[in-house]
């Protein structure tokens, strides 16, 4: 069952079009329609990517694979893409979803895919010695703090 929204898709489309036409800014529209500015940004991003279907509630919850979650978090942490760009690239409806994945990943918590059987997914890596960790950190700093590249090269987790 879709989440209940106080706005119909057509109303969201009108609000987004007011923003895109430059008639009003996000803060003014936020005040006029009593909508959080981050929600307006999400509507604009989704509308630009998918048209009215992007702002229409789905009848089922979206399930994301482990690979998609891991890739999205890595892209976000690399700093090469903004949170909005990552969400658009991976078709993630809401930026808070990506931020939850990142928080769970950096806290070394379990992130389950629907078929994971409860195994650790986003924290895969290997044990390292102190000397290895020093080498890994030096490499990461030397390469502009490119975490994704460092993780891949040394087969370690984000932690």
């Amino acid at each position: 069952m879709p989440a209940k929204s106080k706005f119909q898709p057509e109303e969201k489309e009108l609000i987004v079009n007011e923003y895109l036409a430059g008639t009003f800014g996000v803060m003014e529209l936020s005040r006029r329609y009593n909508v959080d500015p981050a929600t307006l940004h999400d509507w604009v991003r989704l509308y630009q990517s998918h048209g009215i279907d992007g702002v229409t509630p789905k009848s089922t919850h979206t399930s994301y694979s482990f690979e998609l979650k891991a890739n999205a978090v890595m892209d976000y942490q690399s700093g090469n893409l903004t949170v909005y760009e990552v969400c658009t690239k991976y078709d993630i409806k809401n930026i808070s979803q990506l931020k939850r994945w990142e928080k769970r990943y950096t806290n070394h918590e379990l992130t389950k895919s629907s078929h994971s059987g409860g195994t650790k997914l986003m924290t895969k890596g290997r044990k390292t010695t102190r000397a290895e960790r020093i080498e890994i950190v030096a490499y990461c700093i030397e390469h502009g703090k490119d975490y994704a590249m460092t993780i891949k090269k040394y087969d370690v987790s984000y932690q």
Side-chain angles (χ1 to χ4, degrees):
M1 178 177 284
K4 185 155 174 87
S5 175
K6 65 181 181 178
F7 294 97
Q8 295 298 313
E10 296 77 16
E11 293 172 302
K12 292 177 185 177
E13 182 179 36
L14 289 172
I15 296 168
V16 167
N17 282 326
E18 283 186 56
Y19 172 77
L20 293 174
T23 310
F24 299 104
V26 169
M27 295 311 290
E28 177 62 25
L29 289 169
S30 175
R31 280 190 288 277
R32 279 178 174 239
Y33 296 103
N34 195 27
V35 178
D36 187 83
T39 300
L40 284 175
H41 281 292
D42 283 338
W43 290 354
V44 169
R45 178 180 55 79
L46 292 167
Y47 184 78
Q48 288 178 319
S49 298
H50 304 289
I52 192 138
D53 289 341
V55 293
T56 302
K58 294 183 179 179
S59 59
T60 59
H61 290 285
T62 304
S63 179
Y64 299 96
S65 69
F66 160 68
E67 290 78 17
L68 184 140
K69 291 176 185 179
N71 290 335
V73 169
M74 293 295 201
D75 274 355
Y76 180 54
Q77 288 182 338
S78 75
N80 296 330
L81 299 173
T82 67
V83 68
Y84 294 105
E85 291 169 334
V86 172
C87 287
T88 299
K89 179 178 178 179
Y90 293 99
D91 201 20
I92 301 167
K93 266 262 209 220
N94 194 304
I95 64 168
S96 63
Q97 182 67 63
L98 175 62
K99 290 185 176 185
R100 278 193 301 273
W101 295 342
E102 184 198 24
K103 183 177 179 182
R104 292 174 76 180
Y105 176 74
T106 56
N107 288 336
H108 241 252
E109 295 175 7
L110 299 181
T111 301
K112 298 178 188 172
S113 170
S114 56
H115 304 296
S116 70
T119 58
K120 289 185 179 184
L121 294 175
M122 295 186 81
T123 59
K124 65 182 181 180
R126 61 181 180 82
K127 295 219 182 249
T128 57
T129 65
R130 185 173 194 278
E132 283 180 303
R133 290 191 296 274
I134 291 169
E135 177 187 339
I136 293 166
V137 169
Y139 176 87
C140 186
I141 292 169
E142 191 176 300
H143 289 86
K145 296 183 183 175
D146 188 339
Y147 299 108
M149 182 173 68
T150 305
I151 289 166
K152 193 176 270 187
K153 177 177 171 56
Y154 287 96
D155 188 32
V156 292
S157 70
Y158 179 78
Q159 288 296 88

